[in-house]
Amino acid sequence: MIAALTGAFLVVAPGPAAWAHGSTTFPPSRTYSCYVDGLAGGLGGDLFPTNPACRDAWTTGDQSHFAFWNWFGNLLSNAGGKHKEVVPDGNLCGPQEAFVKFRGARQDWPTTGMLPGADVTFRYNAWAPHPGTFDSFVTKDGWDPSQPLKWSDLESAPFNSVTNPPMNGSGPFGAEYTWPVTLPSNKAGRHIIYTIMQRSDSPEAFYNCSDVWFGAGAPPPPPPPPPPPPANCSAQYVQVANWNNGFTAEVRVTNNGTNPVFGWTVRFTYPNGQVTTLPGWNADIRQNGAEVTAFNVQWNIRINPGQTVSFGFNGTHNGTNNPPTDITACQVPTAVAGSTAATPMGPVFQRISELPTMLATIAAGHSTDLHAAHLHHGG
């Protein structure tokens, strides 16, 4: 994939091991943009997208709204670098059926203005840890935006490729990976930047369509409305059974607040080298060393105030099986200066109080080096 694209291609040398289970936040992907749009319109309750394309995905798509609450999970678990084999033409922007509405061939998706040839900073939310490589492609001149995106619509080589970029940024939803990018200099008008993140420790890959406009002509974004209030939840680790070198555990997640929780994440660290036996049940569970992360699944994505949902798994140990003491719920990782490790921060909606600043930052292009970059809501 490492090949030249005249005037635009940049390869960034690998740095310390980095991790990524998330989505592009600049240029913002469709799923991220629609989640932000829904938060802005929701005013404290459910999401309420106001962008026409996002609204259509919300009202006519899967009514669990899995793709909105799991905006960071637009993935295939069996890609293994064979993207053209596992993702059919037309499905590039939403390989999973849960993301089918994000395949829509329409020109009113939230769109980011970009200056051709500019030196910018790409950003990617680091929701959960995975090492890997990010390849960013752009659509060819003359591609047809009225048709779902096909592989033949993309330039044959990525204009940017980076392996294990540093996790040195902090975004509205936690830690972000950032890396320098030189945008294609020969593009104008509406295009899609298509970013694939292929894990190096697994065949899993993540797919991101970012709608962009190169050059003049993109209208400015609307002013952001007031943000919704924060949510609050907790988790309890329960050892259900324990034997010579194995155990069964259950984790109970409770919404202690007054607002519904839409989408939750549990994190904890095992103190005695315990290993989870995957898959478990009622959660998408991942383990990296001693650190365990569990995400909601489609049927338990919502926790109403006062409600509890639970998930469980089996595991193994070497004779000592003390429970974790650092369990957190509904939290996202945040970056530590000079570090590539993720550490817990407050509830997932803790930083939604920063939503006006977030939208203004997106509108400004996330970085002062983006010149005229901005996000607009369709048109």
Side-chain angles (χ1 to χ4, degrees):
M1 296 183 110
I2 307 301
L5 181 67
T6 303
F9 184 65
L10 172 69
V11 177
V12 180
W19 310 92
H21 179 137
S23 179
T24 47
T25 58
F26 187 83
S29 68
R30 286 181 183 177
T31 55
Y32 176 74
S33 295
C34 285
Y35 178 65
V36 171
D37 181 64
L39 284 175
L43 300 179
D46 209 344
L47 294 183
F48 190 86
T50 56
N51 167 270
C54 298
R55 186 66 185 166
D56 179 67
W58 178 267
T59 56
T60 66
D62 170 27
Q63 289 305 288
S64 75
H65 302 132
F66 179 85
F68 280 81
W69 300 114
N70 288 266
W71 53 269
F72 48 81
N74 196 3
L75 60 87
L76 287 179
S77 60
N78 63 339
K82 300 178 180 179
H83 308 296
K84 292 184 180 181
E85 296 180 22
V86 299
V87 182
D89 279 342
N91 292 8
L92 276 69
C93 296
Q96 292 187 55
E97 283 303 307
F99 291 82
V100 63
K101 296 299 293 186
F102 289 89
R103 304 170 187 168
R106 47 192 304 161
Q107 299 184 45
D108 51 2
W109 292 107
T111 301
T112 305
M114 319 217 51
L115 185 65
D119 292 326
V120 301
T121 299
F122 272 22
R123 307 179 72 96
Y124 192 96
N125 173 268
W127 197 270
H130 308 306
T133 296
F134 301 77
D135 288 312
S136 294
F137 298 81
V138 68
T139 44
K140 297 176 179 177
D141 296 337
W143 76 289
D144 186 357
S146 69
Q147 298 296 319
L149 187 66
K150 306 186 300 294
W151 290 107
S152 60
D153 292 328
L154 300 174
E155 299 285 3
S156 59
F159 66 87
N160 179 266
S161 182
V162 58
T163 298
N164 295 336
M167 190 176 73
N168 57 4
S170 181
F173 303 102
E176 293 186 333
Y177 309 102
T178 73
W179 63 94
V181 175
T182 298
L183 294 174
S185 60
N186 57 347
K187 298 294 180 182
R190 182 170 297 281
H191 283 274
I192 290 176
I193 290 178
Y194 189 60
T195 300
I196 302 172
M197 186 276 178
Q198 175 62 62
R199 292 176 58 178
S200 58
D201 62 343
S202 152
E204 189 173 64
F206 299 80
Y207 302 90
N208 299 270
C209 279
S210 300
D211 296 272
V212 300
W213 186 284
F214 286 102
N232 177 28
C233 55
S234 60
Q236 179 186 16
Y237 184 97
V238 179
Q239 188 168 279
V240 177
N242 187 52
W243 56 94
N244 291 341
N245 60 351
F247 65 94
T248 300
E250 180 179 85
V251 177
R252 299 164 186 168
V253 185
T254 300
N255 181 356
N256 301 312
T258 58
N259 302 300
V261 169
F262 297 97
W264 49 265
T265 304
V266 171
R267 291 181 171 84
F268 58 86
T269 305
Y270 272 127
N272 307 122
Q274 296 99 318
V275 177
T276 54
T277 302
L278 302 179
W281 49 92
N282 294 330
D284 180 6
I285 304 168
R286 315 292 175 91
Q287 182 166 359
N288 179 51
E291 298 176 358
V292 178
T293 307
F295 306 97
N296 62 270
V297 286
Q298 193 160 351
W299 56 86
N300 60 13
I301 192 170
R302 174 173 177 144
I303 312 176
N304 288 321
Q307 281 190 337
T308 297
V309 300
S310 63
F311 65 91
F313 50 88
N314 294 319
T316 60
H317 61 80
N318 294 318
T320 303
N321 186 26
N322 294 317
T325 59
D326 61 347
I327 190 165
T328 58
C330 303
Q331 298 190 354
V332 298
T334 187
V336 177
S339 171
T340 58
T343 57
M345 57 165 287
V348 66
F349 289 118
Q350 175 175 317
R351 300 183 67 189
I352 300 306
S353 62
E354 301 176 14
L355 185 60
T357 302
M358 171 181 68
L359 292 174
T361 301
I362 293 174
H366 248 307
S367 175
T368 56
D369 64 358
L370 295 178
H371 309 290
H374 58 267
L375 173 72
H376 72 82
H377 286 234

